[in-house]
Amino acid sequence: MEFNFDIVKNPRIFQENRLPAHSDHEWYLNRENENSVRSDCKYSLNGSFRFHYAENFQSVIRGFEKKDFDVDGWDIITVPGHIQMQGYGVPQYVNIEYPWDGSEEIEPGEIPTKHNPVGQYVKKFTLPDFMKNGPVYISFQGVESGFALWMNGAYVGYSEDSFTPAEFDLTPYIDKDGENRLAIDVFRYTAGSWCEDQDFFRFSGIFREVYLYTVPAVHVWDLKVNANLDDNYKDGVFSLKMDTHGANGSAKLTLYDKNRKHLIFEKTLELSDSENTYRIGGVDQWSAEFPNLYDLEITVFDKLGNISEYIKEKVGFRRFEMKNGVMCINGKRIVFNGVDRHEFSAQKGRAIGNDEIRFDLMTMKQNNINAIRASHYPNQTYFYRLADELGLYIIDETNLETHGVWDHIVKDGLDKSFAVPGDRPEYLDMVLDRANSMYQRDKNHASVLIWSCGNESFGGINVQKIHDFFKNVDNTRLVHYEGVVNDDRYPDSTDMKSGMYWSVKTIEHYLKEHPEKPFISCEYSHAMGNSCGGIREYTDLAKRNRLYQGGFIWDYIDQAIETKDRYGNTYYGYGGDFDDRPNDGSFSGDGICYASDRRPTSKMQEVKAVYSPVDITIDEERVIIRNNNLFKNLSDYICTITSSCEDRILDIRKTAVEADPGKSAVFPLDVKYKKDRECVITVSLSLKNDEKWAERGHEIAFGQKIVGERQQADHSKGEIRVAHGWLNTGVFGSDFSILFSNLYGGLVSYKKAGVELIKKSPRPNFWRPLSENDIGNHMAFRADQWKAASTYLSINDGRRVSNYDVKEDEKTVTVTFTYYLPTTPEIEVRQTYRVFPDGAVKTSVIMNKSDNIGELPSYGVLFTMNADFENLRWYGNGPEDTYADRESGGRLGVWENKVKDNMAEYLRPQESGNHTRVRWAEVTDNQGRGLRFEGDDLNISALPWSPDQIDCADHPNELPPIQSTFIRVDKFQEGIGGDDTWGARPLPQYIIDNSKPLEFSFWFKGI
């Protein structure tokens, strides 16, 4: 048999000679190695391969697969790894559009021919001794997007489907004593690429591990474990089916509880037996809260009674089902507090390692995330094993997305027959094969609760048949598919209804009209840039409507690639930064974690709060803690009650709490605080014991209540002197001086102890830097006049000069400026400064109704200081930034950081660093000199760049050198939004109402 390139573009042929898919269990010849991650029957081929890059199939080097072909002069490439991440071609980020769109005119059933790179790999190796007496197989865990394989010059086979294993039998071709030569052609685009139009960077290459393996004479090729619960959710119902290769034999089964403390059962059976079922009394159930796993050990014997192999598999007993119209885990209604997650690394693309997977899943558990949608393809096996261990609910998704096809059906009115896979018979076997490969590998993982037929691929009979396949082979899980919202001809393609970026009102209305199936948001709260505003609206809906069962934030980590600009500065590139055309720009940056090092962004603070498993309410006399866990008692937590006055802790107590799931613990508020001062009562729940994902004391949730009243500062002590000049007015106190300019229209100097604190005149400000959500909902089109008003306001509009007014009384002097704004219609704003004897200045900004000018992004004052004033300390919400619609995770307290640290590391510079509910804030140099701001529920932002400078930069490395510190003191700032990033505005309650006059006052003072 010879390789024929025509199969690469034929959707009916997606594999040749590939071995059947099977479970991902490990087997061992030596029992001493059974606790190893890697079987002692495997031999890694990871590492260096010889490599040649061809622009297309016509450019490949013919005959390279022959054993005597000299490749010693070829380049060297690393496996696992993407071709484009190692200097060959470029990565390309596109979302909906196919990567070849506009370059070649092709339709489904065709592939690009001009630009369709082929990576030619060669690996030489000698067979390890332990493999020489048995068969030899090769496993490719992930190759994008298709490949042909030769061994010692002989054609072995072909495979597509980038994200599930492809395995072949090398035994007929292997030289067991000499040098062997593996040759592979990897094609960037195949017929299967039409089914891989996911929202991600497009790569190619051998990006997951490659290894050889052998098996003993009697071998369990496939293992199917079913660990269910009985109808009373007490006893385990355990069944086992083994597909064996080789001579007949027997198997001894032993099942131990965790840590091998107790033997649960022991059975011996013949390998020829069909599926065996056992009842086990009183099992410890598996859930995200208690991920109890049992150790299943299988000792396989040949027919003479000799040990052939050992198998060890983790088993979790759980029952997932539709019950009384809702999804339930172990009999309890489940709520998915989830995220969508791509496999991605800024340094390696999708070729990520176990350390990165563990870091992600540990971070999720620490932030109350309980579920992951594997978007939009099967992940590496280690991901599922770790999810079993740590306790995360998984939607496992078939490698299928055809967004670029069905989008034209919806928008351009193309006939539904155009859909892929749709009703096309030529795609049916391909998509069923992808579903089967995922199922067979992942079927034994307790964490996998739902099979997904794919993502954003319209509808049709083929998707229905994927659903039917899952239901026929697995009665322990449900099946999900969102695409029926666009093509409802086959509504039974999904067991639950789901939507993407539906508003809360839309979901509520839908469930009222269609209560037949529960609903999940398989994608919601689009986390692009500074986002995730209003997310609590969704989690609150899950608490009041039983049919809404949570959702999955899009998505977990920014997709960006570490690169350098022309000056050698490192930055993280998105679509277009690699001369990739077409591309979808920064749309790849929609994660709640940074691309650079996987750290959580400030959005995670909100996610942790709204995903909390408890609700904490504090009133004047008592604390109420509602336990929203399904299985965990509150006694598993430490409860700490703290009272504080600004940065001083007044009292701290710990108390035991207890409440079953769904119940509340109520106890007196017996902590001490001062009633004549504003104090904060904080109730915190933290882990009582170490968990695999966090140590004892890790905080799970907190609640706060403000008690007492704030004392107003007395600024009347001392004397002031006023100097009236022709164009300036000076105000002097014992250690300060302030200068107001009539000529330039503002406060032009504030000195404290001889140190100048003001670099530019404070001015009324109505603009914030555009966020990705602002850009997506075209806020600038509605509000552009406010940017001009903030930048070009003046005391002199060419016709009128400001009413510069100075008034004195016994203790204070008040200076008023009138600014004219370059808006249509014209509008005026008055700013007043009232100076007190101690140097405190009360400033007010007064503006008439302005809704006829446009949406008002913010309302406050912009201060400019020298960059030496680089420290921010504030009493308000923290520690991360907060906004009107994203402050559930903000904790009222005293916080401090560097001004530069308030600039979030988003891929595109944008609005960030705001802090809500601020009582006071200090911006100081390293000697403690600076300005203090005071007020009621202020919004404070201190950044090293102005709104204009931030708006002008497409990447952080494009921001200018730091010269100043810019402080925005706002009464209002519009919510950050985030229902989506292509039109959704912040919710109405978080938009500034400028249909009425606005007035804002606060204090500032030199320190």
Side-chain angles (χ1 to χ4, degrees), residues 269-441:
L269 51 89
E270 297 299 315
L271 293 179
S272 58
D273 291 349
S274 59
E275 188 169 5
N276 296 270
T277 302
Y278 310 96
R279 191 177 186 93
I280 303 169
V283 294
D284 292 328
Q285 301 172 6
W286 184 95
S287 67
E289 296 170 29
F290 292 107
N292 296 305
L293 293 172
Y294 289 75
D295 286 327
L296 172 65
E297 296 182 5
I298 303 173
T299 306
V300 179
F301 302 89
D302 64 20
K303 60 183 178 181
L304 298 178
N306 299 312
I307 294 177
S308 183
E309 68 179 2
Y310 300 93
I311 297 170
K312 187 173 181 180
E313 189 73 323
K314 296 290 186 180
V315 175
F317 285 88
R318 56 109 179 102
R319 181 164 174 167
F320 186 68
E321 61 191 331
M322 197 73 74
K323 181 180 179 183
N324 298 324
V326 296
M327 292 176 282
C328 293
I329 179 81
N330 303 338
K332 302 290 187 68
R333 171 183 172 264
I334 194 171
V335 173
F336 295 107
N337 293 324
V339 292
D340 293 274
R341 177 182 174 274
H342 274 297
E343 288 188 312
F344 202 83
S345 156
Q347 293 74 32
K348 295 178 286 187
R350 282 187 285 280
I352 66 174
N354 290 354
D355 289 346
E356 290 151 313
I357 296 172
R358 176 171 284 275
F359 187 90
D360 287 355
L361 270 57
M362 295 278 281
T363 301
M364 291 180 192
K365 289 290 292 186
Q366 290 165 9
N367 288 282
N368 296 328
I369 293 167
N370 71 1
I372 308 169
R373 178 168 168 242
S375 52
H376 304 290
Y377 42 81
N379 283 210
Q380 299 179 42
T381 280
Y382 180 75
F383 167 83
Y384 302 92
R385 294 198 180 281
L386 191 58
D388 294 340
E389 176 187 342
L390 298 181
L392 286 152
Y393 302 126
I394 306 298
I395 296 182
D396 209 3
E397 194 146 77
T398 307
N399 176 24
L400 172 61
E401 180 168 343
T402 62
H403 201 159
V405 176
W406 72 259
D407 200 55
H408 295 286
I409 298 174
V410 173
K411 292 181 178 178
D412 302 332
L414 296 180
D415 190 81
K416 291 181 179 179
S417 63
F418 188 68
V420 175
D423 301 329
R424 298 182 185 231
E426 68 269 26
Y427 280 92
L428 176 59
D429 289 344
M430 175 194 288
V431 296
L432 285 176
D433 175 74
R434 292 178 173 218
N436 179 65
S437 293
M438 176 178 72
Y439 162 75
Q440 297 294 353
R441 191 197 66 174

Side-chain angles (χ1 to χ4, degrees), residues 163-181:
F163 298 99
T164 52
E167 299 183 344
F168 299 89
D169 186 357
L170 298 183
T171 309
Y173 318 104
I174 203 84
D175 183 341
K176 294 194 173 183
D177 297 312
E179 184 179 70
N180 291 278
R181 178 192 180 94

Side-chain angles (χ1 to χ4, degrees), residues 36 43 79 86 92 138 187 314 350 404-405 488 666 709 822 845 916:
S36 303
Y43 178 74
V79 171
Q86 300 186 65
Q92 181 181 9
I138 190 168
F187 308 101
K314 296 290 186 180
R350 282 187 285 280
V405 176
D488 60 0
V666 182
E709 295 184 0
V845 180
T916 61

